[in-house]
């Protein structure tokens, strides 16, 4: 191959590479959920090893025992705060209600432009927390858990995906976007560790397996 054709081939390959990259940018998510960064996989493995393994009990559970949503800042309640945090170009009115914006749901890879299409997921579900030790908490403690914007516990996701997840743990449900699963389990373990919640045996086995691949 002559030097001329070699250079021409490299030029064409370079142009194709740039074109592919630009298409990837255009087709990528328009906004990324800003979940507080979870602990590392190594730290999560250490935390998981220290969690109590116990059988879960749903006895006495009522969602109203976990007060939501509370005022976080100004006129913004927890839902509105998370929608502003997790969205891109979010516009709100005087009541802090999101009137426009873009939201990327990392669980399923969907992008939405209407806040009504988003639920605020409790990454560790309220019922799961109850089963794992929150039944013994005060109402104030349960309120803090249900509105925790500091730990990686609340995230804006597609509403029907959140409803499909319901109160399931990682042995029963995981995000369909496989690249997000490591983040998800790291966050799950961090929240359970911070709140001193137990895990059941199937849950621990699933978390151990996922973390091994992080």
């Amino acid at each position: 191959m002559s030097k001329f054709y070699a250079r021409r081939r490299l030029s064409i390959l370079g142009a194709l590479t740039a074109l592919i990259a630009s298409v990837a940018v255009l087709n990528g998510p328009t906004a990324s959920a800003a979940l507080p960064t979870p602990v590392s996989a190594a730290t999560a493995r250490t935390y998981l090893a220290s969690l109590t393994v116990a059988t879960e009990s749903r006895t006495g559970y009522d969602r109203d025992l976990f007060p939501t949503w509370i005022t976080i800042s100004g006129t913004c309640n927890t839902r509105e705060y998370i929608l502003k945090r997790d969205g891109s170009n979010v516009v709100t009115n005087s009541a802090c209600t999101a009137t426009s914006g873009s939201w990327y749901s990392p669980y399923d890879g969907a992008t939405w432009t209407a806040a009504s299409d988003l639920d605020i997921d409790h990454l560790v579900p309220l019922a799961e927390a109850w089963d794992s030790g929150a039944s013994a908490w005060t109402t104030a403690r349960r309120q803090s858990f249900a509105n925790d914007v500091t730990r990686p516990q609340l995230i804006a996701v597609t509403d029907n995906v959140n409803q499909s997840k319901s109160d399931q743990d990682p042995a029963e449900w995981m995000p369909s976007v496989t690249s997000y699963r490591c983040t998800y389990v790291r966050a799950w373990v961090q929240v359970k560790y911070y709140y001193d919640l137990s895990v059941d045996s199937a849950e621990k086995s699933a978390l151990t397996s996922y973390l091994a691949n992080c």
Side-chain angles (χ1 to χ4, degrees):
M1 182 184 295
S2 70
K3 290 182 179 179
F4 171 78
Y5 285 109
R7 286 196 299 270
R8 182 175 176 80
R9 184 178 181 184
L10 287 172
S11 177
I12 292 171
L13 286 173
L16 285 172
T17 299
L19 177 61
I20 291 169
S22 65
V23 170
V25 169
L26 290 173
N27 290 337
T30 56
S32 297
L35 184 79
T37 303
V39 295
S40 68
T43 298
R45 286 190 285 268
T46 299
Y47 284 178
L48 179 59
S50 72
L51 295 181
T52 299
V53 178
T55 302
E56 297 180 348
S57 174
R58 188 66 53 92
T59 303
Y61 171 71
D62 187 322
R63 185 182 175 88
D64 291 341
L65 293 170
F66 293 80
T68 57
W69 302 112
I70 63 171
T71 300
I72 298 296
S73 176
T75 60
C76 302
N77 68 20
T78 313
R79 172 181 167 81
E80 293 153 349
Y81 179 93
I82 297 298
L83 285 172
K84 288 180 67 176
R85 186 198 71 184
D86 289 2
S88 177
N89 301 317
V90 177
V91 176
T92 58
N93 60 23
S94 60
C96 200
T97 302
T99 57
S100 64
S102 178
W103 292 268
Y104 173 72
S105 169
Y107 287 2
D108 58 329
T111 298
W112 303 97
T113 55
S116 59
D117 288 318
L118 284 299
D119 276 356
I120 306 304
D121 180 43
H122 290 95
L123 195 133
V124 175
L126 304 182
E128 168 68 23
W130 179 272
D131 299 349
S132 308
S135 59
W137 293 352
T138 63
T139 300
R141 179 71 165 167
R142 288 192 288 266
Q143 177 176 287
S144 294
F145 176 84
N147 299 276
D148 189 347
V149 299
T150 303
R151 260 64 52 182
Q153 164 64 353
L154 296 171
I155 185 169
V157 297
T158 303
D159 52 6
N160 61 1
V161 172
N162 180 52
Q163 290 151 25
S164 175
K165 171 188 171 181
S166 186
D167 56 11
Q168 298 177 91
D169 69 32
E172 303 158 321
W173 185 93
M174 286 293 284
S176 60
V177 176
T178 56
S179 61
Y180 195 72
R181 290 178 177 178
C182 183
T183 300
Y184 186 82
V185 294
R186 285 158 46 213
W188 183 283
V189 171
Q190 180 180 346
V191 171
K192 282 228 159 176
Y193 178 83
Y194 179 84
Y195 284 98
D196 195 25
L197 295 170
S198 64
V199 290
D200 63 36
S201 57
E203 177 188 356
K204 183 172 183 177
S205 178
L207 289 167
T208 299
S209 178
Y210 285 114
L211 284 171
N213 295 314
C214 286

